[in-house]
Amino acid sequence: MSLIESLANPTRSVPPQAEFVAFLADEQSTETVERFALARMMPHTYIRQGNVADATEFMAKLERPPRQLVVDISTSAMALSELAALAEVCAPSVSVVVIGERNDVGLFRELLRMGVDEYISKPLTIDLLTRLLGGPGAVVAPVHQVRTGKLVACVGARGGVGVSTVAANVAFHLAHNVDRRVVLIDMDPFGGPMNILLGTQCNNGLGDVLKNVRRLDTQYMERTTVSLGGKLFLLTAQNDLDSPEPMDVAALRELVSELKRHFHYVIIDMPDRAGPAAMAVLEEAQVVALVTEPSVYAARETARLIRIAETRDAHVPVMLIANQPRQSGRGELAMRDFEEAVGRRASHVLPYDHDSASRAENLGPPVVASRGALAMALKRVGDDLAGRQLEDKPKRAFSFRDHPLLRHLLEWRA
Ligand SMILES: Nc1ncnc2c1ncn2[C@@H]1O[C@H](COP(=O)(O)OP(=O)(O)OP(=O)(O)O)[C@@H](O)[C@H]1O
Ligand SMILES: [Mg+2]
């Protein structure tokens, strides 16, 4: 929306893009901010009378996050928890400025801790806003980045356990049903399944972006990612199978930390559980979604991966997802034995559902768009990542020798 349009048509509901968004509790403050925006010739503004809840509802609908959000807590009964709810729908890159009536250092500190960039107490004046919000010598630029997104590393204890299924569905659910901005990276440089699972076309954006990490701004990101419904963005590559190019691990680390500034979730579908690129992702992750299945081999590899995630400097919580990608037979480990063997309970158990999984894989849309038991279980994984605290403490130290089946296997191999 142009400046003229935005001034001539102030009641338009949700603009396609807004660079500066403000919700003020009273008419006088709203007018002051409007005059400030006009004086600074700000394009793409959205300034309304409203409270934190109005701002939260608006931000959840907005497809592209603004540069700056001004929100007024003077009518909020529970300002901090209302702001926490706002932070949930507000991409980490947004500079948030809070307006209030109290001039209180304790409150200011608390707000800074939450990632708010500035607190301004009323009454508002154009001079004050210019000094603190914009114009030469403004206090608020650059943003100090307290809020950053979460990297979720999806890794499998062995091949074919359902890592890509979990990554695709959790990303889809968080973007479509929980209103989070999500970027999903298929880390298989030779063409992983993500484009097929989500019905998109590979544009080789991952290779491109790894070569130009330093140039990663909003416009470049929009050009290199494939967008799916406004909140989900995909980065994939499809190098020739005989391409010798290795993954640039330093660039990958940089890419992830840059993406975390722009998205609530960076979800990586890892094709391997070993090697330098895999280790870098596990190290950078805020959560490792470890997908496994109840088999002896998967139990051994699960235990090894848990040890890797938990003994590194950055202790990463592990969400253990026990999937059943195959119909269980008589030789399978019972879930209880499996949990006993790895020394912890699964955070989530996904049921076997061949029809839903293969329909989603071959025809689309992803499983979570349907209603079956597998869809519900996958949604719960996403909800867990979006909110509930993860239980990351092992029940007890794991030892292979404790489990009769594994002991038998080790003795047999010795
Ligand atoms: N709970 C389930 N019930 C039935 N089929 C499933 C289930 N989970 C996954 N599958 C199917 O199992 C196959 C492997 O799943 P997926 O590709 O997600 O695994 P992966 O761990 O990413 O494999 P890879 O090692 O090849 O990367 C797919 O055909 C998928 O549809
Ligand atoms: Mg896979």
Side-chain angles (χ1 to χ4, degrees):
M1 185 163 40
S2 72
L3 175 66
I4 310 257
E5 266 181 280
S6 92
L7 296 173
N9 190 10
T11 51
R12 189 170 161 168
S13 52
V14 179
Q17 64 178 118
E19 283 287 300
F20 176 88
V21 174
F23 283 85
L24 288 309
D26 61 285
E27 208 178 316
Q28 196 187 341
S29 305
T30 314
E31 251 173 47
T32 310
V33 174
E34 271 167 354
R35 279 193 289 119
F36 159 75
L38 191 56
R40 294 211 52 231
M41 307 271 289
M42 284 173 139
H44 310 304
T45 61
Y46 189 89
I47 303 161
R48 291 289 181 278
Q49 196 169 328
N51 55 21
V52 183
D54 297 323
T56 308
E57 193 186 327
F58 177 79
M59 292 296 290
K61 283 193 206 126
L62 207 56
E63 286 192 353
R64 192 170 159 194
R67 199 176 55 77
Q68 200 161 51
L69 168 68
V70 177
V71 69
D72 191 339
I73 57 170
S74 20
T75 53
S76 296
M78 310 265 283
L80 294 179
S81 55
E82 287 176 33
L83 286 171
L86 173 63
E88 296 276 294
V89 295
C90 194
S93 60
V94 180
S95 158
V96 180
V97 174
V98 171
I99 311 282
E101 265 162 2
R102 279 158 57 198
N103 207 346
D104 175 340
V105 179
L107 172 67
F108 183 48
R109 283 218 190 95
E110 194 55 36
L111 293 174
L112 286 182
R113 206 185 50 72
M114 290 177 81
V116 165
D117 286 289
E118 189 55 77
Y119 175 75
I120 307 176
S121 61
K122 288 184 188 172
L124 301 182
T125 64
I126 303 251
D127 276 357
L128 187 65
L129 291 173
T130 309
R131 195 155 54 77
L132 294 173
L133 291 191
V139 174
V140 167
V143 179
H144 71 268
Q145 195 79 32
V146 177
R147 293 184 301 119
T148 60
K150 215 185 227 184
L151 169 60
V152 181
C154 300
V155 65
R158 65 184 296 185
V161 281
V163 179
S164 303
T165 303
V166 167
N169 280 282
V170 163
F172 190 90
H173 175 60
L174 288 173
H176 284 77
N177 305 331
V178 195
D179 271 333
R180 300 294 192 266
R181 271 172 68 79
V182 181
V183 60
L184 175 58
I185 304 177
D186 186 333
M187 230 176 74
D188 184 342
F190 303 106
M194 214 42 87
N195 285 295
I196 291 178
L197 287 177
L198 294 171
T200 44
Q201 286 288 331
C202 177
N203 66 347
N204 271 316
L206 180 59
D208 207 38
V209 89
L210 282 172
K211 290 195 190 91
N212 299 291
V213 177
R214 297 266 152 79
R215 284 180 41 209
L216 198 70
D217 55 22
T218 311
Q219 281 78 28
Y220 182 54
M221 217 148 52
E222 278 176 7
R223 277 204 314 275
T224 43
T225 53
V226 173
S227 160
L228 197 89
K231 296 221 163 170
L232 176 56
F233 298 83
L234 242 73
L235 271 175
T236 60
Q238 194 165 339
N239 295 344
D240 291 338
L241 291 178
D242 57 358
S243 158
E245 222 175 302
M247 173 91 57
D248 180 343
V249 175
L252 181 67
R253 284 186 196 265
E254 241 178 286
L255 172 65
V256 164
S257 79
E258 193 56 34
L259 289 172
K260 284 198 307 193
R261 298 181 56 232
H262 297 272
F263 294 91
H264 292 108
Y265 293 94
V266 179
I267 297 182
I268 300 192
D269 174 14
M270 296 169 62
D272 304 302
R273 66 187 186 289
M279 289 305 119
V281 172
L282 293 180
E283 258 170 31
E284 298 291 328
Q286 275 63 55
V287 180
V288 172
L290 169 48
V291 187
T292 187
E293 57 159 27
S295 72
V296 171
Y297 175 49
R300 189 189 81 186
E301 293 308 298
T302 300
R304 286 177 82 191
L305 273 164
I306 290 174
R307 264 204 301 272
I308 286 275
E310 292 187 343
T311 54
R312 300 234 149 194
D313 286 350
H315 170 106
V316 192
V318 173
M319 177 191 272
L320 187 61
I321 302 167
N323 189 19
Q324 288 154 82
R326 280 177 294 279
Q327 199 149 30
S328 59
R330 293 207 307 169
E332 298 263 304
L333 279 188
M335 193 55 74
R336 242 194 42 223
D337 291 337
F338 172 82
E339 289 178 336
E340 188 68 16
V342 298
R344 76 170 63 198
R345 291 187 65 115
S347 313
H348 295 273
V349 177
L350 309 182
Y352 172 72
D353 185 347
H354 176 73
D355 285 350
S356 299
S358 60
R359 195 180 327 113
E361 187 176 28
N362 297 306
L363 303 170
V367 179
V368 286
S370 64
R371 283 168 169 274
L374 182 57
M376 291 304 142
L378 285 162
K379 282 183 191 171
R380 275 196 295 275
V381 175
D383 291 340
D384 195 355
L385 285 168
R388 194 163 64 80
Q389 274 247 303
L390 300 180
E391 213 222 296
D392 66 317
K393 295 274 175 292
K395 261 198 311 197
R396 59 177 172 73
F398 169 76
S399 161
F400 284 118
R401 278 155 235 296
D402 290 351
H403 193 267
L405 254 172
L406 294 171
R407 194 169 56 225
H408 171 74
L409 180 86
L410 290 172
E411 279 162 8
W412 178 75
R413 298 193 82 198

